[in-house]
C-alpha cells in the first residue's frame, strides 16, 4: 500500500515537472527589469561535446549549465550546475559550450540589448541518438 502511494506521488511529480523539460532546455528567466531574456539561436556542439566528454571520461547522463550572454549575444561565462571534481573537466566542457552556442541577447523594457543569462540542459542519450 505504501509503495503504491509513493509511486503515485512520484508519477504526479513527473507530470508536473515535464513541461519545464519538454524541449530539452530549461526555462530562462529574464534578468531583473528585462522585458525579454537571452534566446538561444543555435547550439552546434553536440558532436564536439560528446567527443570531449568521451576523452574526459564523463559518465553522466545529463549536463546542466548556465551561460552569461553579453549585449551582442555572445556567451561570455559558463558555469556547470553540478561541477566535476577536476576543474579542468569543467573548463574543457565549458569551452565547448561557449564556442558552440549563439544567442539573441536579452533586452530591457525599452528594447535595449543588455547582459543576460541562459540556463541549459543537455541529455547525453538524446545527443547520441541524433548522431
Amino acid at each position: 500500500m505504501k509503495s503504491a502511494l509513493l509511486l503515485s506521488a512520484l508519477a504526479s511529480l513527473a507530470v508536473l515537472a515535464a513541461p519545464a523539460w519538454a524541449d530539452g532546455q530549461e526555462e530562462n528567466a529574464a534578468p531583473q527589469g528585462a522585458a525579454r531574456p537571452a534566446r538561444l539561436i543555435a547550439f552546434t556542439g553536440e558532436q564536439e561535446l560528446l567527443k570531449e566528454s568521451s576523452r574526459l571520461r564523463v559518465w553522466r547522463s545529463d549536463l546542466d549549465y548556465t551561460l552569461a550572454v553579453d549585449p551582442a549575444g555572445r556567451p561570455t561565462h559558463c558555469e556547470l550546475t553540478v561541477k566535476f571534481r577536476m576543474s579542468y573537466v569543467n573548463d574543457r566542457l565549458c569551452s565547448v559550450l561557449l564556442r558552440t552556442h549563439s544567442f539573441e541577447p536579452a533586452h530591457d523594457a525599452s528594447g535595449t540589448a543588455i547582459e543576460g543569462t541562459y540556463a541549459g540542459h543537455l541529455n547525453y542519450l538524446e545527443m547520441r541518438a541524433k548522431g
Side-chain angles (χ1 to χ4, degrees), residues 53-117:
S53 295
S54 178
R55 278 192 285 268
L56 296 169
R57 298 179 189 242
V58 171
W59 301 105
R60 289 194 184 155
S61 59
D62 298 292
L63 186 66
D64 294 303
Y65 58 95
T66 301
L67 299 176
V69 180
D70 72 10
R74 290 183 300 264
T76 58
H77 179 72
C78 172
E79 189 83 26
L80 299 182
T81 304
V82 178
K83 293 180 178 17
F84 293 89
R85 282 187 295 133
M86 306 300 269
S87 62
Y88 73 89
V89 173
N90 301 315
D91 295 343
R92 302 256 308 261
L93 294 178
C94 274
S95 177
V96 172
L97 294 171
L98 288 168
R99 277 195 316 274
T100 58
H101 277 81
S102 58
F103 295 94
E104 184 177 301
H107 290 82
D108 64 14
S110 67
T112 304
I114 59 172
E115 290 183 358
T117 59

Side-chain angles (χ1 to χ4, degrees), residues 12-26:
S12 297
L13 181 61
V15 169
L16 293 173
W21 296 93
D23 66 348
Q25 300 294 330
E26 291 182 1

